[in-house]
Amino acid sequence: MRKLVAGNWKMYGLASSLAEIEALKGLTGEAAYDIVVCPPFTLIEKAAERAKDSTVAIGAQDCHPQISGAHTGDVSAEMLVDAGARFVILGHSERRVFHHETDAVVATKVTAAHTAGLTAIICVGETRSERGDGKAIEVVGGQLRASVPAGASSSNMVIAYEPVWSIGTGLVPTIEQIEEIHSSIRQMLEERLGEDGRNVRILYGGSVKASNAADIFGAANVDGALVGGASLKATEFAGIISAAA
Ligand code: PGA
């Protein structure tokens, strides 16, 4: 399966950061894998202009469930497409925690993204205490089942397994732990989508760096990565991407 490496800039990045996209284009060239950069809303249009005719696609980090309406401060999936985005991250744990997004809300947003023509990167992952209680597979399974709406397929959905305790902490699960969750996600996708479940890309996310990327990409059912901190600088992000080759 063609790997996908996505960078999540979170609430970082000013116009000057667009130089990182230029640099990334130069560092990755004719990539044999898919590269996505998800800058903040304010940079999407300019980032898409810079990434034009390159292997780098642009994504967003959230969208509203509705196409338009009286929702002060929100951005719809259609607006993201209009600005040049092709992907959108949905259900990131920072949205689930700080914005109280439930699985049902995430599923509605995914449908909105699909209606607008975006590919949704749907995030799932357990907390430290849930893992400690031996509930990681159960929690991830519950999130997955309830966050993936009807109409989702390998052509409009990517799953990102991001253990909450690994995000921004430098703590990474063992390869065995990653494989265990990824294979259970694969199984659930196959139960849900039949044969097409085999083609859905399952990314790992949480403290991915150039130094651990090759091991992570080598794990069974790992089809790429969702990268936060290490995606902000093109040289470091390119180091991770090259490990996907
Ligand atoms: P991190 O973040 O790579 O900085 O751990 C990953 C994410 O939140 O998507």
Side-chain angles (χ1 to χ4, degrees):
M1 194 160 358
R2 194 177 160 91
K3 285 197 166 40
L4 185 151
V5 186
N8 172 11
W9 283 12
K10 308 195 179 185
M11 199 171 71
Y12 296 100
L14 301 172
S16 56
S17 316
L18 295 167
E20 299 300 328
I21 291 176
E22 294 288 346
L24 192 62
K25 277 167 32 181
L27 288 165
T28 51
E30 283 294 306
Y33 25 79
D34 293 330
I35 303 168
V36 182
V37 175
C38 303
F41 288 137
T42 49
L43 294 180
I44 288 176
E45 186 156 13
K46 281 183 186 154
E49 276 164 24
R50 301 283 184 110
K52 205 165 175 264
D53 300 323
S54 80
T55 47
V56 179
I58 300 302
Q61 302 168 21
D62 183 40
C63 71
H64 191 274
Q66 287 170 19
I67 211 162
S68 61
H71 297 288
T72 304
D74 281 316
V75 176
S76 76
E78 190 182 50
M79 292 168 183
L80 298 177
V81 172
D82 193 47
R86 287 175 39 213
F87 290 78
V88 60
I89 299 171
L90 293 170
H92 189 282
S93 63
E94 287 152 16
R95 302 285 322 169
R96 291 178 185 266
V97 172
F98 303 129
H99 296 267
H100 314 291
E101 289 188 11
T102 61
D103 292 327
V105 168
V106 175
T108 326
K109 290 184 172 194
V110 175
T111 298
H114 289 165
T115 306
L118 292 168
T119 295
I121 302 176
I122 306 173
C123 304
V124 292
E126 83 286 359
T127 62
R128 189 195 302 264
S129 68
E130 287 163 343
R131 176 159 285 272
D133 293 343
K135 291 192 173 138
I137 290 183
E138 192 187 314
V139 168
V140 167
Q143 288 176 334
L144 192 72
R145 286 190 188 94
S147 305
V148 173
S153 71
S154 63
S155 57
N156 62 17
M157 158 175 78
V158 174
I159 303 296
Y161 167 55
E162 298 204 304
V164 180
W165 51 275
S166 175
I167 295 175
T169 59
L171 298 171
V172 181
T174 63
I175 295 300
E176 291 70 29
Q177 287 171 326
I178 294 175
E179 287 185 335
E180 185 187 31
I181 302 283
H182 278 237
S183 79
S184 76
I185 292 175
R186 176 72 66 213
Q187 203 181 320
M188 284 179 254
L189 289 169
E190 284 180 24
E191 278 162 19
R192 178 78 179 261
L193 304 174
E195 197 144 314
D196 190 43
R198 282 186 220 159
N199 303 322
V200 177
R201 288 183 284 193
I202 309 172
L203 315 183
Y204 168 77
S207 296
V208 178
K209 304 182 202 71
S211 57
N212 61 19
D215 285 346
I216 293 170
F217 290 142
N221 284 306
V222 172
D223 309 307
L226 179 55
V227 185
S231 72
L232 293 168
K233 290 278 165 236
T235 42
E236 200 171 344
F237 194 38
I240 293 173
I241 294 166
S242 63

